[in-house]
Amino acid sequence: MSNRPAGHTARSTDRPNPETGTRGSNRTFLHTADGVPVDSVYNPAAVVYEAAPDTSCPPSRDLVFVIAHGFTGDVDRPHVRRVAGVLARYGAVVTFSFRGHGASGGRSTVGDKEVLDLAAAVEWARGHGHARLVTVGFSMGGSVVLRHAALYPGAADAVVSVSAPARWYYRGTAPMRRLHWLVTRPEGRLVGRYGLRTRIHHREWDPVPLSPVQAVPRIAPTPLLIVHGDRDGYFPLDHPRMLAEAAGDHAELWLEPGMGHAEHATGEALLARIGDWAVGHAHYGAAGVP
């Protein structure tokens, strides 16, 4: 796994995002350090504040969220747009499709090379002039934001990981056994391509990337929030507890009663709490960024 900077990002002509129609939004393809085009959308902070009755503070013009979706998601999926819409009440939002997902190029490596996709999106978000940046990842994206923060120190001012695994190759639940079939078997990859709009790389990891539990100790002193549901069907509670223990005092752990897995299970009230946490914890220079 390379930890080179993402390099220059390539922009197409900026255009309004048809999903939101927000003035100042634009959509473009970024190019990662290894040359993969990544479909990306920038939305400024929400102009209208009355849509957020559960929000304790108005949107911050200096704050931007970069959202890393879960496996088989993409920038146009309704659950990704819903997350972006809620967090836009707190700051600007960058969403993107990981490689192999949606309109992005390449093939999914299920959390390995995806760190380069996030690095390109983070660089692009910083280029919009925001002084504070928070990465927010779900499931696979949750593992990616943890590894990104460890491999790119100072890139984010706070990190939020939702429903992430602690370790690789976990097969302890039926959904994870199905996911491994999808990723490792040729017929599974066909289902991914044609049924789930996700193109999966056939090669195994070589070398095996830094695991999430190995990454979290390297994130300090950047503030870290770990969120997990007690009804997560993919990763049981030993995963978030292992992450929190490895992170030490710089991490905060929220175990959410009744919550399932990733974006679909993350309701607006929880997203609002995450937004409040980000506003309060993404301090200037917290991650070493001037």
Side-chain angles (χ1 to χ4, degrees):
M1 168 56 61
S2 168
N3 63 353
R4 294 176 297 163
H8 296 293
T9 57
R11 300 191 186 189
S12 62
T13 303
D14 290 343
R15 58 190 185 277
N17 176 18
E19 194 70 35
T20 63
T22 305
R23 184 180 180 183
S25 301
N26 57 67
R27 186 166 189 164
T28 190
F29 282 89
L30 311 176
H31 283 258
T32 66
D34 60 345
V36 176
V38 173
D39 187 18
S40 305
V41 177
Y42 171 83
N43 292 114
V47 175
V48 180
Y49 181 58
E50 68 267 17
D54 52 359
T55 302
S56 64
C57 54
S60 174
R61 303 303 178 187
D62 67 346
L63 178 66
V64 60
F65 295 91
V66 180
I67 298 172
H69 63 74
F71 185 60
T72 75
D74 66 59
V75 74
D76 291 318
R77 297 276 191 180
H79 57 277
V80 176
R81 301 282 10 120
R82 179 179 61 84
V83 170
V86 175
L87 293 181
R89 303 169 186 170
Y90 298 85
V93 178
V94 166
T95 49
F96 65 97
S97 297
F98 279 121
R99 62 185 62 206
H101 293 71
S104 292
R107 295 183 182 182
S108 174
T109 63
V110 199
D112 180 10
K113 300 296 185 182
E114 282 75 9
V115 73
L116 301 177
D117 308 343
L118 178 58
V122 164
E123 183 183 2
W124 188 52
R126 287 285 190 193
H128 284 81
H130 299 283
R132 298 187 295 157
L133 184 147
V134 179
T135 54
V136 183
F138 297 84
S139 191
M140 180 187 78
S143 72
V144 173
V145 299
L146 295 175
R147 292 182 54 246
H148 172 266
L151 296 172
Y152 295 77
D157 298 294
V159 178
V160 181
S161 180
V162 182
S163 303
R167 55 194 185 274
W168 302 137
Y169 304 111
Y170 178 73
R171 292 178 171 86
T173 58
M176 285 305 298
R177 290 190 288 273
R178 289 193 294 268
L179 187 145
H180 277 86
W181 175 84
L182 191 77
V183 170
T184 61
R185 299 292 295 272
E187 58 269 36
R189 292 191 291 272
L190 284 175
V191 171
R193 175 182 287 271
Y194 296 108
L196 301 173
R197 300 190 328 216
T198 303
R199 304 171 306 282
I200 305 166
H201 210 295
H202 67 279
R203 295 195 186 103
E204 295 184 4
W205 288 339
D206 184 21
V208 175
L210 185 74
S211 72
V213 74
Q214 292 170 320
V216 289
R218 306 186 187 187
I219 297 175
T222 302
L224 170 62
L225 175 61
I226 299 165
V227 182
H228 211 93
D230 67 358
R231 295 187 181 178
D232 192 307
Y234 287 78
F235 305 114
L237 291 178
D238 61 313
H239 285 261
R241 287 170 175 154
M242 186 181 299
L243 291 172
E245 182 178 357
D249 293 340
H250 84 281
E252 190 169 338
L253 174 62
W254 294 357
L255 297 179
E256 296 297 311
M259 177 186 168
H261 185 68
E263 297 101 322
H264 291 287
T266 308
E268 290 200 11
L270 176 54
L271 288 168
R273 287 168 52 208
I274 289 171
D276 279 332
W277 182 91
V279 170
H281 287 78
H283 303 300
Y284 296 105
V289 177

